Amino acid sequence: MPKDISQINGHKVKLVYYDFEGNIAEESVWAEKEGQYYRLKNIPFFAANLAYNDLINVEDDNGELFFDSLIEPSEHSTIQIIFFNIEYFKEVTDHLIKLKCDWEGSHLKQYISVDVPREVNYSEIQEYLSEKHKENILDYREACLSDRHTL
């Protein structure tokens, strides 16, 4: 089931990253204040090396919060998927949910970000996505693999 971020009483944190063409870009994610740090409460869509529930430090720039550093990884992983054949969207997302992953859709209907919780066996996810890639249904990027999920 996709993450429901409507219940978050949080803050927007900007992540600055390099896009596929090498240009500087940014995206905003929701985070909840936890002591002096912030905990990510949605899955990054484009930025790499961060995952749902990571504890981060931010820099406040005139009221805008920017990611500064990772304080404590959540041991979750982030997979970013683009569909070449949108007809398989429901089949793939339903299967990911069955494998105990969550996902969020972006403003691009063929693009999603997937959260792989720490207790999930990543090899099953990777095998499934590799199969769908070979079938030319989708492509995926392992944007953030936790130590628990590295093979």
Side-chain angles (χ1 to χ4, degrees), residues 67-130:
F67 168 77
D68 181 56
S69 60
L70 177 65
I71 300 302
E72 179 183 272
S74 62
E75 297 184 324
H76 286 234
S77 291
T78 302
I79 310 300
Q80 297 161 344
I81 298 175
I82 188 162
F83 286 86
F84 301 137
N85 190 337
I86 202 72
E87 293 176 24
Y88 291 91
F89 185 92
K90 183 168 174 25
E91 174 189 320
V92 170
T93 54
D94 284 353
H95 191 77
L96 289 169
I97 291 167
K98 182 179 159 192
L99 294 172
K100 298 184 171 99
C101 294
D102 285 322
W103 63 272
E104 292 180 32
S106 77
H107 64 286
L108 306 168
K109 70 178 184 177
Q110 74 277 15
Y111 188 82
I112 64 171
S113 204
V114 178
D115 171 49
V116 183
R118 61 180 162 204
E119 64 276 359
V120 171
N121 179 351
Y122 182 67
S123 62
E124 290 179 44
I125 309 294
Q126 188 179 48
E127 184 179 313
Y128 177 73
L129 293 176
S130 292

Side-chain angles (χ1 to χ4, degrees), residues 18-82:
Y18 288 99
D19 67 14
F20 295 118
E21 283 113 29
N23 300 313
I24 293 177
E26 67 179 47
E27 72 172 294
S28 294
V29 292
W30 285 106
E32 288 182 340
K33 186 114 171 86
E34 193 171 301
Q36 66 185 25
Y37 303 117
Y38 290 80
R39 189 155 310 266
L40 294 184
K41 289 302 175 184
N42 69 288
I43 312 162
F45 285 110
F46 303 104
N49 302 318
L50 289 171
Y52 175 78
N53 231 21
D54 282 352
L55 189 66
I56 62 170
N57 190 31
V58 302
E59 182 178 312
D60 188 331
D61 185 11
N62 295 320
E64 288 189 297
L65 302 177
F66 287 87
F67 168 77
D68 181 56
S69 60
L70 177 65
I71 300 302
E72 179 183 272
S74 62
E75 297 184 324
H76 286 234
S77 291
T78 302
I79 310 300
Q80 297 161 344
I81 298 175
I82 188 162

